[in-house]
């Protein structure tokens, strides 16, 4: 049984797993994650990675990742990487990829992303196979949506980007929506005649 203690009560958290240290796709991903890590801290999100190798391997590998990013080798890596070399956390959190095995036939970790809210509850999980690298612009975009919708009774449509109009959820009656969204509510006419496609500027 694991208990993850997040010291700063008010922050968000992202835990993301990697199949293995010293592997090509993982190196591009961690390099990409390290580059905009100030983008995550600006959103009050603390990042932590996990890979099923030792602390010693993590130390050596982060030097390669910094070099991949063309950064000085003396630079500090901007977030910790959990050394889950016994796969305990990976098993407890269902992160193992049943199809990808190491040279000894042991399963590797899949590419999971868990976003944890300020209330320490899981807000989103993504699961990619080991062979598909993640898109960190998309992870920043979902954090923006999660944080916006945690504070406001709105929802974000397909492909939404910060600053674009948002949707009024169907459980808010028309009269209440008019008061709740003083910037205005636009309802799209639909063949069904139902008034469920309602937009409002981003609060
Ligand atoms: C990689 O990170 O490059 C990788 C790891 C496991 C399977 C395939 C690719």
């Amino acid at each position: 049984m694991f208990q993850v203690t997040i010291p700063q009560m008010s922050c968000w958290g992202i835990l993301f797993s990697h199949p293995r240290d010293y592997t090509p796709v993982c190196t591009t991903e961690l390099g990409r994650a390290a580059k905009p890590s100030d983008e995550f801290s600006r959103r009050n999100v603390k990042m932590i990675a996990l890979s099923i190798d030792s602390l010693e391997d993590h130390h050596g590998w982060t030097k390669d990742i910094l070099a991949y990013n063309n950064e000085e080798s003396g630079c500090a890596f901007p977030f910790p990487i959990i050394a889950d070399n016994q796969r305990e956390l990976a098993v407890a959190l269902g992160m193992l990829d049943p199809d990808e095995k190491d040279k000894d036939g042991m399963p590797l970790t899949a590419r999971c992303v868990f976003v944890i809210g300020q209330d320490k509850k899981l807000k989103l999980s993504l699961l990619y196979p080991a062979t598909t690298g993640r898109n960190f612009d998309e992870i920043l975009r979902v954090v923006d949506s999660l944080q916006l919708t945690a504070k406001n009774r709105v929802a974000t449509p397909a492909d939404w980007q910060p600053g674009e109009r948002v949707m009024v959820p169907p459980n808010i009656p028309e009269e209440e929506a008019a008061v709740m969204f003083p910037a205005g509510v636009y309802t799209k006419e639909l063949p069904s005649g139902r008034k469920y496609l309602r937009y409002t500027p981003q609060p």
Side-chain angles (χ1 to χ4, degrees):
M1 179 58 123
F2 288 90
Q3 178 147 21
V4 177
T5 307
I6 301 175
Q8 209 183 311
M9 287 291 287
S10 62
C11 69
W12 288 65
I14 294 187
L15 168 63
F16 56 113
S17 62
H18 293 273
R20 198 99 235 204
D21 291 11
Y22 297 110
T23 50
V25 178
C26 296
T27 301
T28 63
E29 281 195 321
L30 274 190
R32 179 68 184 89
K35 267 202 173 145
S37 67
D38 55 329
E39 286 283 322
F40 287 100
S41 50
R42 208 162 52 74
R43 289 164 172 82
N44 198 21
V45 179
K46 284 203 183 292
M47 298 172 78
I48 187 161
L50 176 148
S51 184
I52 51 175
D53 287 291
S54 66
L55 198 56
E56 194 188 354
D57 281 336
H58 290 355
H59 281 305
W61 183 38
T62 51
K63 290 193 179 73
D64 286 0
I65 299 164
L66 290 171
Y68 165 77
N69 275 359
N70 295 319
E71 306 229 9
E72 302 283 325
S73 62
C75 271
F77 200 72
F79 50 81
I81 306 174
I82 298 169
D84 190 26
N85 44 347
Q86 300 302 314
R87 292 173 167 75
E88 288 170 297
L89 200 50
V91 168
L93 298 178
M95 289 172 155
L96 290 181
D97 184 331
D99 293 332
E100 291 295 331
K101 307 265 171 36
D102 66 13
K103 59 177 176 16
D104 303 318
M106 294 293 285
L108 297 176
T109 335
R111 301 182 194 281
C112 299
V113 182
F114 294 141
V115 181
I116 317 293
Q118 287 176 308
D119 56 3
K120 297 191 181 180
K121 292 189 178 151
L122 181 68
K123 301 299 174 189
L124 174 131
S125 69
L126 294 171
L127 179 58
Y128 284 47
T131 42
T132 303
R134 287 157 286 197
N135 181 326
F136 283 81
D137 288 333
E138 170 61 3
I139 296 172
L140 284 167
R141 191 192 75 88
V142 294
V143 166
D144 286 332
S145 172
L146 292 170
Q147 293 187 337
L148 178 74
T149 57
K151 278 208 187 115
N152 303 276
R153 275 183 76 193
V154 295
T156 61
D159 300 333
W160 172 84
Q161 292 291 338
E164 292 179 359
R165 63 186 182 167
V166 297
M167 312 213 77
V168 177
N171 62 355
I172 303 180
E174 208 171 318
E175 309 73 48
E176 203 183 318
V179 177
M180 196 178 275
F181 304 109
V185 175
Y186 162 77
T187 306
K188 182 157 175 66
E189 299 286 338
L190 294 166
S192 67
R194 295 177 188 229
K195 296 176 184 293
Y196 61 91
L197 214 63
R198 297 177 298 172
Y199 292 95
T200 191
Q202 179 184 317

